[in-house]
Amino acid sequence: MYEMKIQCEATDEAIDFCDLLAEQIARFFSVHDRDMFVLSVHEAVINSVAAIRQSGEETEKNTFVLSLRITEEDVTVTVTDEGSGIPIKQIERMREKSLEDMLLAESGRGLLLIKETMDDIWFERRENGKCAIAMKMRRGRNG
């Protein structure tokens, strides 16, 4: 088993870095669907960076943490930030709608895309009341 945590500032460079890291993890550890894994991690990181930027606070808290846990069976990714958190309304919408329902919507497709492409998605409540997004994809043949 491998575990790592990377703390990044909420910058475009950090988004690019996380994309590159996700590509390498997906390739090296043979996740089931490499492209969808990378896209899902990208969406989670983008959402985190957007939440941090919307908070408008210029402190050391304008960072997010990308955590990876790799076992023989799967790769789990968690993205945590100090932003405003994922609104309950958005979580409820994700449970009620499909990606197809939201294709032409202005926003809100990222979580649905993650839900439909990863093997599992869940939200973790933190001590501060904020929510982190976690997702898992099994390892195996690449599609």
Side-chain angles (χ1 to χ4, degrees):
M1 178 174 66
Y2 301 94
E3 289 185 309
M4 68 179 84
K5 289 185 180 193
I6 300 165
Q7 184 170 347
C8 300
E9 285 187 44
T11 64
D12 292 339
E13 186 177 74
I15 294 167
D16 293 342
F17 174 77
C18 290
D19 288 349
L20 180 63
L21 181 62
E23 288 171 16
Q24 296 307 309
I25 293 291
R27 179 175 291 119
F28 189 80
F29 291 102
S30 302
V31 295
H32 180 70
D33 189 327
R34 186 181 302 158
D35 293 336
M36 290 298 105
F37 177 85
V38 172
L39 183 58
S40 293
V41 172
H42 175 81
E43 287 296 327
V45 169
I46 288 282
N47 285 350
S48 183
V49 169
I52 292 166
R53 288 177 177 167
Q54 284 176 349
S55 73
E57 294 178 26
E58 292 296 324
T59 69
E60 74 258 2
K61 292 184 178 183
N62 66 347
T63 61
F64 65 93
V65 176
L66 178 72
S67 303
L68 295 147
R69 183 174 185 270
I70 301 148
T71 67
E72 288 184 31
E73 295 83 31
D74 51 51
V75 176
T76 302
V77 179
T78 305
V79 180
T80 310
D81 63 59
E82 293 297 322
S84 57
I86 301 166
I88 293 295
K89 191 176 188 179
Q90 206 169 359
I91 294 172
E92 289 170 357
R93 180 174 51 191
M94 187 187 81
R95 291 184 181 132
E96 296 167 0
K97 301 211 180 246
S98 71
L99 184 57
E100 189 175 328
D101 295 331
M102 300 293 293
L103 280 179
L104 299 178
E106 224 174 275
S107 65
R109 292 181 302 272
L111 290 176
L112 288 169
L113 181 133
I114 294 168
K115 176 184 131 186
E116 293 193 16
T117 59
M118 297 296 280
D119 293 321
D120 197 6
I121 177 176
W122 64 96
F123 301 96
E124 297 178 353
R125 286 267 174 231
R126 298 303 197 199
E127 310 82 50
N128 60 5
K130 307 268 172 129
C131 231
I133 185 171
M135 62 192 107
K136 182 185 294 190
M137 184 176 278
R138 70 186 179 281
R139 293 174 63 183
R141 184 182 77 55
N142 271 301

